[in-house]
mmCIF file of all heavy atoms in Angstrom:
data_model
loop_
_atom_site.group_PDB
_atom_site.id
_atom_site.type_symbol
_atom_site.label_atom_id
_atom_site.label_comp_id
_atom_site.label_asym_id
_atom_site.label_seq_id
_atom_site.Cartn_x
_atom_site.Cartn_y
_atom_site.Cartn_z
ATOM 1 N N GLY A 1 16.585 -13.690 -4.685
ATOM 2 C CA GLY A 1 16.354 -12.349 -4.166
ATOM 3 C C GLY A 1 15.219 -12.309 -3.163
ATOM 4 O O GLY A 1 14.822 -13.335 -2.611
ATOM 5 N N THR A 2 14.664 -11.108 -2.978
ATOM 6 C CA THR A 2 13.621 -10.888 -1.988
ATOM 7 C C THR A 2 12.476 -10.085 -2.599
ATOM 8 O O THR A 2 12.713 -8.993 -3.125
ATOM 9 C CB THR A 2 14.188 -10.085 -0.792
ATOM 10 O OG1 THR A 2 15.358 -10.746 -0.307
ATOM 11 C CG2 THR A 2 13.179 -9.934 0.319
ATOM 12 N N PRO A 3 11.232 -10.586 -2.518
ATOM 13 C CA PRO A 3 10.097 -9.803 -3.016
ATOM 14 C C PRO A 3 9.788 -8.661 -2.058
ATOM 15 O O PRO A 3 10.006 -8.765 -0.850
ATOM 16 C CB PRO A 3 8.955 -10.821 -3.039
ATOM 17 C CG PRO A 3 9.301 -11.809 -1.987
ATOM 18 C CD PRO A 3 10.813 -11.869 -1.961
ATOM 19 N N GLU A 4 9.278 -7.581 -2.620
ATOM 20 C CA GLU A 4 8.876 -6.436 -1.821
ATOM 21 C C GLU A 4 7.527 -5.954 -2.348
ATOM 22 O O GLU A 4 7.068 -6.401 -3.390
ATOM 23 C CB GLU A 4 9.941 -5.347 -1.887
ATOM 24 C CG GLU A 4 11.273 -5.844 -1.324
ATOM 25 C CD GLU A 4 12.384 -4.825 -1.363
ATOM 26 O OE1 GLU A 4 12.228 -3.770 -2.003
ATOM 27 O OE2 GLU A 4 13.422 -5.089 -0.738
ATOM 28 N N GLU A 5 6.901 -5.053 -1.647
ATOM 29 C CA GLU A 5 5.573 -4.618 -2.061
ATOM 30 C C GLU A 5 5.622 -3.666 -3.252
ATOM 31 O O GLU A 5 6.671 -3.133 -3.599
ATOM 32 C CB GLU A 5 4.832 -3.982 -0.893
ATOM 33 C CG GLU A 5 5.551 -2.833 -0.260
ATOM 34 C CD GLU A 5 4.904 -2.390 1.043
ATOM 35 O OE1 GLU A 5 4.383 -3.230 1.786
ATOM 36 O OE2 GLU A 5 4.944 -1.183 1.302
ATOM 37 N N CYS A 6 4.456 -3.490 -3.864
ATOM 38 C CA CYS A 6 4.244 -2.531 -4.959
ATOM 39 C C CYS A 6 5.061 -2.834 -6.210
ATOM 40 O O CYS A 6 5.447 -1.920 -6.945
ATOM 41 C CB CYS A 6 4.508 -1.106 -4.502
ATOM 42 S SG CYS A 6 3.433 -0.557 -3.163
ATOM 43 N N GLY A 7 5.350 -4.114 -6.470
ATOM 44 C CA GLY A 7 6.067 -4.476 -7.678
ATOM 45 C C GLY A 7 7.577 -4.385 -7.580
ATOM 46 O O GLY A 7 8.272 -4.496 -8.577
ATOM 47 N N TRP A 8 8.094 -4.178 -6.380
ATOM 48 C CA TRP A 8 9.534 -4.084 -6.174
ATOM 49 C C TRP A 8 10.090 -5.439 -5.761
ATOM 50 O O TRP A 8 9.406 -6.249 -5.144
ATOM 51 C CB TRP A 8 9.857 -3.091 -5.058
ATOM 52 C CG TRP A 8 9.670 -1.650 -5.405
ATOM 53 C CD1 TRP A 8 8.519 -1.047 -5.810
ATOM 54 C CD2 TRP A 8 10.655 -0.624 -5.331
ATOM 55 N NE1 TRP A 8 8.727 0.288 -5.998
ATOM 56 C CE2 TRP A 8 10.032 0.582 -5.705
ATOM 57 C CE3 TRP A 8 11.994 -0.614 -4.977
ATOM 58 C CZ2 TRP A 8 10.704 1.792 -5.747
ATOM 59 C CZ3 TRP A 8 12.667 0.600 -5.016
ATOM 60 C CH2 TRP A 8 12.030 1.780 -5.399
ATOM 61 N N LEU A 9 11.362 -5.649 -6.078
ATOM 62 C CA LEU A 9 12.109 -6.794 -5.573
ATOM 63 C C LEU A 9 13.572 -6.409 -5.506
ATOM 64 O O LEU A 9 14.001 -5.456 -6.153
ATOM 65 C CB LEU A 9 11.890 -8.046 -6.441
ATOM 66 C CG LEU A 9 12.385 -8.035 -7.891
ATOM 67 C CD1 LEU A 9 13.852 -8.435 -7.998
ATOM 68 C CD2 LEU A 9 11.538 -8.987 -8.711
ATOM 69 N N ARG A 10 14.296 -7.145 -4.689
ATOM 70 C CA ARG A 10 15.757 -7.009 -4.634
ATOM 71 C C ARG A 10 16.316 -8.302 -5.180
ATOM 72 O O ARG A 10 15.947 -9.381 -4.715
ATOM 73 C CB ARG A 10 16.237 -6.770 -3.212
ATOM 74 C CG ARG A 10 15.835 -5.379 -2.708
ATOM 75 C CD ARG A 10 16.239 -5.187 -1.271
ATOM 76 N NE ARG A 10 17.669 -5.015 -1.155
ATOM 77 C CZ ARG A 10 18.270 -3.855 -0.973
ATOM 78 N NH1 ARG A 10 17.570 -2.757 -0.875
ATOM 79 N NH2 ARG A 10 19.576 -3.787 -0.880
ATOM 80 N N ASP A 11 17.206 -8.195 -6.159
ATOM 81 C CA ASP A 11 17.778 -9.406 -6.742
ATOM 82 C C ASP A 11 18.868 -9.966 -5.832
ATOM 83 O O ASP A 11 19.163 -9.411 -4.770
ATOM 84 C CB ASP A 11 18.265 -9.170 -8.176
ATOM 85 C CG ASP A 11 19.491 -8.273 -8.295
ATOM 86 O OD1 ASP A 11 20.264 -8.122 -7.316
ATOM 87 O OD2 ASP A 11 19.707 -7.734 -9.396
ATOM 88 N N ARG A 12 19.456 -11.069 -6.242
ATOM 89 C CA ARG A 12 20.449 -11.746 -5.375
ATOM 90 C C ARG A 12 21.705 -10.910 -5.132
ATOM 91 O O ARG A 12 22.466 -11.203 -4.209
ATOM 92 C CB ARG A 12 20.810 -13.107 -5.960
ATOM 93 C CG ARG A 12 21.580 -13.031 -7.263
ATOM 94 C CD ARG A 12 21.838 -14.395 -7.839
ATOM 95 N NE ARG A 12 20.949 -14.565 -8.978
ATOM 96 C CZ ARG A 12 21.043 -15.522 -9.857
ATOM 97 N NH1 ARG A 12 21.945 -16.462 -9.705
ATOM 98 N NH2 ARG A 12 20.227 -15.587 -10.871
ATOM 99 N N TRP A 13 21.921 -9.861 -5.928
ATOM 100 C CA TRP A 13 23.065 -8.966 -5.717
ATOM 101 C C TRP A 13 22.683 -7.734 -4.905
ATOM 102 O O TRP A 13 23.519 -6.894 -4.619
ATOM 103 C CB TRP A 13 23.683 -8.562 -7.055
ATOM 104 C CG TRP A 13 24.271 -9.735 -7.774
ATOM 105 C CD1 TRP A 13 25.503 -10.307 -7.548
ATOM 106 C CD2 TRP A 13 23.655 -10.528 -8.773
ATOM 107 N NE1 TRP A 13 25.667 -11.392 -8.356
ATOM 108 C CE2 TRP A 13 24.547 -11.559 -9.135
ATOM 109 C CE3 TRP A 13 22.417 -10.478 -9.421
ATOM 110 C CZ2 TRP A 13 24.266 -12.508 -10.093
ATOM 111 C CZ3 TRP A 13 22.122 -11.437 -10.386
ATOM 112 C CH2 TRP A 13 23.043 -12.442 -10.712
ATOM 113 N N GLY A 14 21.390 -7.606 -4.583
ATOM 114 C CA GLY A 14 20.926 -6.479 -3.783
ATOM 115 C C GLY A 14 20.392 -5.309 -4.579
ATOM 116 O O GLY A 14 19.973 -4.307 -3.997
ATOM 117 N N VAL A 15 20.386 -5.399 -5.915
ATOM 118 C CA VAL A 15 19.860 -4.319 -6.754
ATOM 119 C C VAL A 15 18.335 -4.305 -6.644
ATOM 120 O O VAL A 15 17.684 -5.347 -6.721
ATOM 121 C CB VAL A 15 20.290 -4.496 -8.225
ATOM 122 C CG1 VAL A 15 19.661 -3.431 -9.113
ATOM 123 C CG2 VAL A 15 21.813 -4.466 -8.345
ATOM 124 N N SER A 16 17.758 -3.114 -6.460
ATOM 125 C CA SER A 16 16.306 -2.950 -6.389
ATOM 126 C C SER A 16 15.735 -2.774 -7.784
ATOM 127 O O SER A 16 16.253 -1.990 -8.587
ATOM 128 C CB SER A 16 15.942 -1.727 -5.544
ATOM 129 O OG SER A 16 16.293 -1.931 -4.203
ATOM 130 N N TRP A 17 14.673 -3.514 -8.057
ATOM 131 C CA TRP A 17 13.974 -3.481 -9.344
ATOM 132 C C TRP A 17 12.501 -3.190 -9.111
ATOM 133 O O TRP A 17 11.934 -3.620 -8.111
ATOM 134 C CB TRP A 17 14.077 -4.832 -10.044
ATOM 135 C CG TRP A 17 15.446 -5.236 -10.435
ATOM 136 C CD1 TRP A 17 16.406 -5.812 -9.647
ATOM 137 C CD2 TRP A 17 16.027 -5.117 -11.736
ATOM 138 N NE1 TRP A 17 17.539 -6.056 -10.368
ATOM 139 C CE2 TRP A 17 17.334 -5.639 -11.662
ATOM 140 C CE3 TRP A 17 15.558 -4.621 -12.947
ATOM 141 C CZ2 TRP A 17 18.182 -5.673 -12.760
ATOM 142 C CZ3 TRP A 17 16.403 -4.664 -14.040
ATOM 143 C CH2 TRP A 17 17.702 -5.178 -13.946
ATOM 144 N N GLN A 18 11.899 -2.506 -10.070
ATOM 145 C CA GLN A 18 10.454 -2.365 -10.135
ATOM 146 C C GLN A 18 10.010 -3.028 -11.441
ATOM 147 O O GLN A 18 10.474 -2.626 -12.510
ATOM 148 C CB GLN A 18 10.042 -0.900 -10.152
ATOM 149 C CG GLN A 18 10.427 -0.135 -8.911
ATOM 150 C CD GLN A 18 10.018 1.309 -9.027
ATOM 151 O OE1 GLN A 18 8.841 1.632 -9.127
ATOM 152 N NE2 GLN A 18 11.006 2.191 -9.034
ATOM 153 N N ILE A 19 9.159 -4.020 -11.341
ATOM 154 C CA ILE A 19 8.647 -4.701 -12.527
ATOM 155 C C ILE A 19 7.178 -4.312 -12.627
ATOM 156 O O ILE A 19 6.358 -4.711 -11.786
ATOM 157 C CB ILE A 19 8.808 -6.239 -12.411
ATOM 158 C CG1 ILE A 19 10.233 -6.611 -11.964
ATOM 159 C CG2 ILE A 19 8.426 -6.895 -13.730
ATOM 160 C CD1 ILE A 19 11.347 -6.076 -12.836
ATOM 161 N N ALA A 20 6.853 -3.510 -13.618
ATOM 162 C CA ALA A 20 5.528 -2.893 -13.666
ATOM 163 C C ALA A 20 4.947 -2.922 -15.078
ATOM 164 O O ALA A 20 5.681 -2.883 -16.056
ATOM 165 C CB ALA A 20 5.629 -1.451 -13.189
ATOM 166 N N PRO A 21 3.609 -2.951 -15.153
ATOM 167 C CA PRO A 21 2.992 -2.831 -16.469
ATOM 168 C C PRO A 21 3.186 -1.410 -17.007
ATOM 169 O O PRO A 21 3.097 -0.438 -16.245
ATOM 170 C CB PRO A 21 1.514 -3.129 -16.214
ATOM 171 C CG PRO A 21 1.300 -2.964 -14.753
ATOM 172 C CD PRO A 21 2.634 -3.133 -14.089
ATOM 173 N N ARG A 22 3.453 -1.318 -18.280
ATOM 174 C CA ARG A 22 3.617 -0.012 -18.936
ATOM 175 C C ARG A 22 2.380 0.857 -18.687
ATOM 176 O O ARG A 22 2.460 2.061 -18.512
ATOM 177 C CB ARG A 22 3.841 -0.213 -20.436
ATOM 178 C CG ARG A 22 4.191 1.030 -21.196
ATOM 179 C CD ARG A 22 4.479 0.747 -22.667
ATOM 180 N NE ARG A 22 5.298 -0.423 -22.893
ATOM 181 C CZ ARG A 22 6.636 -0.466 -22.834
ATOM 182 N NH1 ARG A 22 7.297 0.624 -22.535
ATOM 183 N NH2 ARG A 22 7.283 -1.579 -23.072
ATOM 184 N N ARG A 23 1.231 0.236 -18.641
ATOM 185 C CA ARG A 23 -0.045 0.941 -18.488
ATOM 186 C C ARG A 23 -0.206 1.589 -17.100
ATOM 187 O O ARG A 23 -0.991 2.524 -16.941
ATOM 188 C CB ARG A 23 -1.167 -0.072 -18.744
ATOM 189 C CG ARG A 23 -2.546 0.419 -18.515
ATOM 190 C CD ARG A 23 -3.238 0.823 -19.793
ATOM 191 N NE ARG A 23 -4.641 1.045 -19.489
ATOM 192 C CZ ARG A 23 -5.140 2.231 -19.152
ATOM 193 N NH1 ARG A 23 -4.373 3.303 -19.135
ATOM 194 N NH2 ARG A 23 -6.419 2.369 -18.866
ATOM 195 N N LEU A 24 0.530 1.140 -16.111
ATOM 196 C CA LEU A 24 0.351 1.633 -14.734
ATOM 197 C C LEU A 24 0.488 3.147 -14.639
ATOM 198 O O LEU A 24 -0.361 3.812 -14.041
ATOM 199 C CB LEU A 24 1.344 0.950 -13.786
ATOM 200 C CG LEU A 24 1.309 1.419 -12.332
ATOM 201 C CD1 LEU A 24 -0.055 1.158 -11.705
ATOM 202 C CD2 LEU A 24 2.412 0.751 -11.541
ATOM 203 N N MET A 25 1.523 3.715 -15.178
ATOM 204 C CA MET A 25 1.722 5.165 -15.059
ATOM 205 C C MET A 25 0.638 5.941 -15.801
ATOM 206 O O MET A 25 0.241 7.019 -15.361
ATOM 207 C CB MET A 25 3.116 5.564 -15.529
ATOM 208 C CG MET A 25 4.229 5.095 -14.581
ATOM 209 S SD MET A 25 3.943 5.470 -12.825
ATOM 210 C CE MET A 25 3.969 7.244 -12.844
ATOM 211 N N GLU A 26 0.136 5.398 -16.904
ATOM 212 C CA GLU A 26 -0.974 6.058 -17.600
ATOM 213 C C GLU A 26 -2.187 6.137 -16.686
ATOM 214 O O GLU A 26 -2.868 7.166 -16.640
ATOM 215 C CB GLU A 26 -1.347 5.278 -18.865
ATOM 216 C CG GLU A 26 -0.293 5.258 -19.929
ATOM 217 C CD GLU A 26 -0.634 4.278 -21.057
ATOM 218 O OE1 GLU A 26 -1.782 3.774 -21.108
ATOM 219 O OE2 GLU A 26 0.262 4.015 -21.868
ATOM 220 N N MET A 27 -2.470 5.048 -15.964
ATOM 221 C CA MET A 27 -3.630 5.022 -15.067
ATOM 222 C C MET A 27 -3.425 5.976 -13.888
ATOM 223 O O MET A 27 -4.330 6.711 -13.519
ATOM 224 C CB MET A 27 -3.872 3.600 -14.559
ATOM 225 C CG MET A 27 -4.345 2.640 -15.644
ATOM 226 S SD MET A 27 -4.819 1.012 -15.009
ATOM 227 C CE MET A 27 -3.209 0.220 -14.860
ATOM 228 N N ILE A 28 -2.244 5.976 -13.311
ATOM 229 C CA ILE A 28 -1.996 6.786 -12.113
ATOM 230 C C ILE A 28 -1.937 8.281 -12.421
ATOM 231 O O ILE A 28 -2.382 9.104 -11.625
ATOM 232 C CB ILE A 28 -0.721 6.313 -11.394
ATOM 233 C CG1 ILE A 28 -1.004 4.955 -10.748
ATOM 234 C CG2 ILE A 28 -0.244 7.320 -10.360
ATOM 235 C CD1 ILE A 28 0.184 4.318 -10.080
ATOM 236 N N ARG A 29 -1.444 8.656 -13.583
ATOM 237 C CA ARG A 29 -1.338 10.089 -13.880
ATOM 238 C C ARG A 29 -2.503 10.610 -14.717
ATOM 239 O O ARG A 29 -2.503 11.771 -15.116
ATOM 240 C CB ARG A 29 -0.002 10.391 -14.552
ATOM 241 C CG ARG A 29 0.132 9.860 -15.939
ATOM 242 C CD ARG A 29 1.435 10.332 -16.582
ATOM 243 N NE ARG A 29 1.572 9.695 -17.869
ATOM 244 C CZ ARG A 29 2.527 8.842 -18.189
ATOM 245 N NH1 ARG A 29 3.456 8.552 -17.335
ATOM 246 N NH2 ARG A 29 2.558 8.295 -19.385
ATOM 247 N N GLY A 30 -3.510 9.778 -14.931
ATOM 248 C CA GLY A 30 -4.658 10.184 -15.738
ATOM 249 C C GLY A 30 -5.487 11.288 -15.106
ATOM 250 O O GLY A 30 -5.334 11.617 -13.921
ATOM 251 N N ASP A 31 -6.376 11.857 -15.894
ATOM 252 C CA ASP A 31 -7.223 12.961 -15.438
ATOM 253 C C ASP A 31 -8.262 12.526 -14.411
ATOM 254 O O ASP A 31 -8.676 13.331 -13.582
ATOM 255 C CB ASP A 31 -7.932 13.614 -16.638
ATOM 256 C CG ASP A 31 -6.960 14.348 -17.545
ATOM 257 O OD1 ASP A 31 -5.888 14.768 -17.058
ATOM 258 O OD2 ASP A 31 -7.280 14.503 -18.743
ATOM 259 N N ASP A 32 -8.686 11.275 -14.462
ATOM 260 C CA ASP A 32 -9.673 10.772 -13.500
ATOM 261 C C ASP A 32 -8.935 10.434 -12.212
ATOM 262 O O ASP A 32 -8.392 9.346 -12.045
ATOM 263 C CB ASP A 32 -10.387 9.545 -14.082
ATOM 264 C CG ASP A 32 -11.491 9.018 -13.187
ATOM 265 O OD1 ASP A 32 -11.487 9.325 -11.970
ATOM 266 O OD2 ASP A 32 -12.350 8.266 -13.694
ATOM 267 N N ARG A 33 -8.919 11.384 -11.277
ATOM 268 C CA ARG A 33 -8.133 11.233 -10.044
ATOM 269 C C ARG A 33 -8.708 10.151 -9.132
ATOM 270 O O ARG A 33 -7.979 9.514 -8.392
ATOM 271 C CB ARG A 33 -8.023 12.575 -9.306
ATOM 272 C CG ARG A 33 -7.349 13.692 -10.118
ATOM 273 C CD ARG A 33 -6.083 13.266 -10.876
ATOM 274 N NE ARG A 33 -5.040 12.788 -9.996
ATOM 275 C CZ ARG A 33 -4.084 11.931 -10.338
ATOM 276 N NH1 ARG A 33 -4.019 11.453 -11.562
ATOM 277 N NH2 ARG A 33 -3.172 11.546 -9.480
ATOM 278 N N ALA A 34 -10.022 9.923 -9.183
ATOM 279 C CA ALA A 34 -10.612 8.847 -8.376
ATOM 280 C C ALA A 34 -10.135 7.493 -8.901
ATOM 281 O O ALA A 34 -9.791 6.594 -8.122
ATOM 282 C CB ALA A 34 -12.133 8.937 -8.384
ATOM 283 N N ALA A 35 -10.102 7.345 -10.220
ATOM 284 C CA ALA A 35 -9.603 6.097 -10.825
ATOM 285 C C ALA A 35 -8.122 5.913 -10.512
ATOM 286 O O ALA A 35 -7.669 4.804 -10.210
ATOM 287 C CB ALA A 35 -9.847 6.102 -12.331
ATOM 288 N N ALA A 36 -7.372 7.007 -10.558
ATOM 289 C CA ALA A 36 -5.944 6.941 -10.231
ATOM 290 C C ALA A 36 -5.745 6.508 -8.780
ATOM 291 O O ALA A 36 -4.877 5.684 -8.477
ATOM 292 C CB ALA A 36 -5.286 8.295 -10.480
ATOM 293 N N ALA A 37 -6.557 7.036 -7.881
ATOM 294 C CA ALA A 37 -6.454 6.675 -6.463
ATOM 295 C C ALA A 37 -6.798 5.205 -6.248
ATOM 296 O O ALA A 37 -6.118 4.510 -5.479
ATOM 297 C CB ALA A 37 -7.366 7.575 -5.625
#
């Protein structure tokens, strides 16, 4: 496949995947907006 930015990749069939830590969304949507940024 092909690597892409931000944890994305396209597999050999062309399907787009995001491989991410479970914790990522907790950090990004948290109350500390500076930490999220």
Side-chain angles (χ1 to χ4, degrees):
T2 307
E4 299 180 349
E5 56 190 35
C6 299
W8 287 59
L9 65 85
R10 290 176 73 102
D11 69 22
R12 68 183 106 168
W13 295 279
V15 176
S16 293
W17 296 82
Q18 297 178 63
I19 312 304
R22 187 177 317 277
R23 175 99 170 92
L24 177 61
M25 290 311 295
E26 294 171 11
M27 292 187 279
I28 289 176
R29 70 174 175 244
D31 292 335
D32 184 340
R33 300 316 299 154

